[in-house]
Amino acid sequence: MSKAFHDVVSSEVVSVGQHLWRIDCYPRGPVLYSQEHKGNYVSIFLKHMSDSKSVRASFVAFIKDRDDQPSETRVRTYLHEFTIMDDWGWHRFVERTVLEEDYVIQGHVTFVCTIMVMRDATPVTVPPSDIRNHLGCLLDQAYGTDVSFTVHGETFPVNRAILAARSPVFKAELFGSMAEATMASITLHDITPSTFKYLLLFIYTDEFPITTEDNPSNSNEVLFDLLAAADRYALDRLKLMCAQKLWDNVSMDTVKDIQACADMYNCLQLKNKCVDFIAKEKKAKKSLVSKTIRRSPRLHQAKAQI
């Protein structure tokens, strides 16, 4: 504190967070409260001196004890929205008798204050990423493509760098020592055009490519084919997506086919879930038969005679 103006001791004006501040200490409280409390309390206030805009700031104040250490019992913290030329603080920060008995050394006492300006509560709005839309559009145009795949007579122009970045198998084929690395057109035989299209949609957008219309709930064939393609090109995320969709369709009519597909294409999580499903269904049927026998004496007797 530097200057005294009758009943207030004020600090120099300081700049914090591009705002101007001043700390006011009232040894006997401000006029508004001094009569109410008979001047028995020391008050501390933080005044916002800027006349441009309001700001949120945290105000921390404490007293140093006689060992020159912060007093843990006299620490005050508050977060306040300061308007233009506004002030806020504690009009009963500490009793004068307590201050004189515990903190004053040779007529002096030290108050330490901290001002922390908070960031604007309404930051600049950042829209969600649209990179998927931009990359997905590349599939609809031949711009920048440098290799094509032919699948049963249908041609798919693509960007080899994107395929290589997404799949280690494509990376080895398109940039390794294999013959495909120097070919402008590659022919595939063991995949259907629709499955390859779904594969490319996932590679370019990282989203599950099959809609409800593409794959009715009573058919898993499209998912089986896509799971096989995902396994072939080491697209583990797509494999798990297919596994989840197949698990959503599981029933006693479909579980064996789903389990066989999961086993063939190294989808261990889906395989284990199918095994558990079959075991639980068998246990439930066994329990149901047992309860039926206990409730039907005639059936029990007939079984005993047999």
Side-chain angles (χ1 to χ4, degrees), residues 199-212:
L199 194 75
L200 292 178
L201 282 170
F202 171 78
I203 287 175
Y204 276 74
T205 66
D206 201 42
E207 294 179 347
F208 191 70
I210 302 175
T211 64
T212 303

Side-chain angles (χ1 to χ4, degrees), residues 263-281:
D263 187 34
M264 181 178 296
Y265 298 114
N266 306 305
C267 196
L268 184 60
Q269 292 185 49
L270 180 59
K271 176 185 175 181
N272 291 339
K273 292 176 77 70
C274 289
V275 171
D276 291 342
F277 180 87
I278 293 172
K280 289 178 181 179
E281 286 294 325

Side-chain angles (χ1 to χ4, degrees), residues 10-70:
S10 298
S11 71
E12 299 289 346
V13 176
V14 296
S15 176
V16 179
Q18 298 180 343
H19 289 257
L20 299 178
W21 306 89
R22 189 185 75 199
I23 297 171
D24 294 333
C25 177
Y26 297 84
R28 295 187 178 275
V31 176
L32 180 62
Y33 300 104
S34 59
Q35 294 181 351
E36 178 184 351
H37 301 301
K38 300 180 181 180
N40 292 328
Y41 288 89
V42 175
S43 304
I44 293 182
F45 285 81
L46 174 64
K47 186 173 183 63
H48 182 218
M49 304 295 291
S50 295
D51 57 2
S52 56
K53 60 181 179 179
S54 61
V55 63
R56 293 175 73 238
S58 174
F59 182 35
V60 182
F62 61 86
I63 310 173
K64 282 194 174 183
D65 60 24
R66 288 175 175 172
D67 295 326
D68 201 32
Q69 299 297 319

Side-chain angles (χ1 to χ4, degrees), residues 162-178:
I162 293 179
L163 268 63
R166 299 282 283 148
S167 164
V169 177
F170 276 126
K171 181 178 180 180
E173 290 182 356
L174 299 175
F175 288 96
S177 58
M178 302 175 66

Side-chain angles (χ1 to χ4, degrees), residues 46-294:
L46 174 64
K47 186 173 183 63
H48 182 218
M49 304 295 291
S50 295
D51 57 2
S52 56
K53 60 181 179 179
S54 61
V55 63
R56 293 175 73 238
S58 174
F59 182 35
V60 182
F62 61 86
I63 310 173
K64 282 194 174 183
D65 60 24
R66 288 175 175 172
D67 295 326
D68 201 32
Q69 299 297 319
S71 173
E72 296 181 359
T73 61
R74 295 294 169 182
V75 178
R76 303 290 181 88
T77 304
Y78 197 79
L79 180 64
H80 182 69
E81 182 80 26
F82 289 86
T83 57
I84 297 173
M85 302 300 291
D86 182 25
D87 65 353
W88 188 94
W90 299 275
H91 61 273
R92 294 196 302 176
F93 185 81
V94 61
E95 289 184 79
R96 286 180 57 86
T97 55
V98 173
L99 188 70
E100 293 170 359
E101 292 175 359
D102 299 338
Y103 299 100
V104 173
I105 303 176
Q106 297 179 352
H108 294 83
V109 64
T110 302
F111 293 87
V112 180
C113 301
T114 302
I115 307 166
M116 292 181 288
V117 173
M118 314 303 288
R119 289 185 177 181
D120 192 342
T122 55
V124 176
T125 301
V126 179
S129 172
D130 56 358
I131 190 171
R132 295 176 179 176
N133 296 333
H134 290 166
L135 292 180
C137 289
L138 294 178
L139 287 174
D140 300 326
Q141 53 189 339
Y143 177 78
T145 59
D146 51 5
V147 66
S148 64
F149 286 84
T150 301
V151 184
H152 296 285
E154 189 170 343
T155 301
F156 297 89
V158 295
N159 308 81
R160 68 173 67 222
I162 293 179
L163 268 63
R166 299 282 283 148
S167 164
V169 177
F170 276 126
K171 181 178 180 180
E173 290 182 356
L174 299 175
F175 288 96
S177 58
M178 302 175 66
E180 288 85 349
T182 60
M183 297 171 63
S185 179
I186 302 171
T187 301
L188 301 178
H189 301 284
D190 52 354
I191 191 171
T192 65
S194 59
T195 301
F196 191 69
K197 177 183 177 181
Y198 295 142
L199 194 75
L200 292 178
L201 282 170
F202 171 78
I203 287 175
Y204 276 74
T205 66
D206 201 42
E207 294 179 347
F208 191 70
I210 302 175
T211 64
T212 303
E213 291 76 15
D214 296 325
N215 184 41
S217 58
N218 61 350
S219 174
N220 290 322
E221 295 303 321
V222 176
L223 291 171
F224 288 156
D225 291 342
L226 187 57
L227 178 61
D231 180 66
R232 172 182 173 180
Y233 291 103
L235 297 169
D236 294 337
R237 174 174 161 80
L238 181 58
K239 282 180 63 175
L240 292 176
M241 287 179 169
C242 292
Q244 181 59 58
K245 295 294 182 180
L246 288 168
W247 180 246
D248 291 341
N249 295 340
V250 76
S251 67
M252 285 306 296
D253 294 330
T254 63
V255 66
K256 289 185 178 180
D257 289 339
I258 293 175
Q259 180 186 350
C261 181
D263 187 34
M264 181 178 296
Y265 298 114
N266 306 305
C267 196
L268 184 60
Q269 292 185 49
L270 180 59
K271 176 185 175 181
N272 291 339
K273 292 176 77 70
C274 289
V275 171
D276 291 342
F277 180 87
I278 293 172
K280 289 178 181 179
E281 286 294 325
K282 287 182 178 180
K283 184 177 180 180
K285 285 185 178 181
K286 184 177 180 180
S287 176
L288 180 61
V289 170
S290 178
K291 290 180 180 179
T292 303
I293 292 175
R294 287 198 300 269

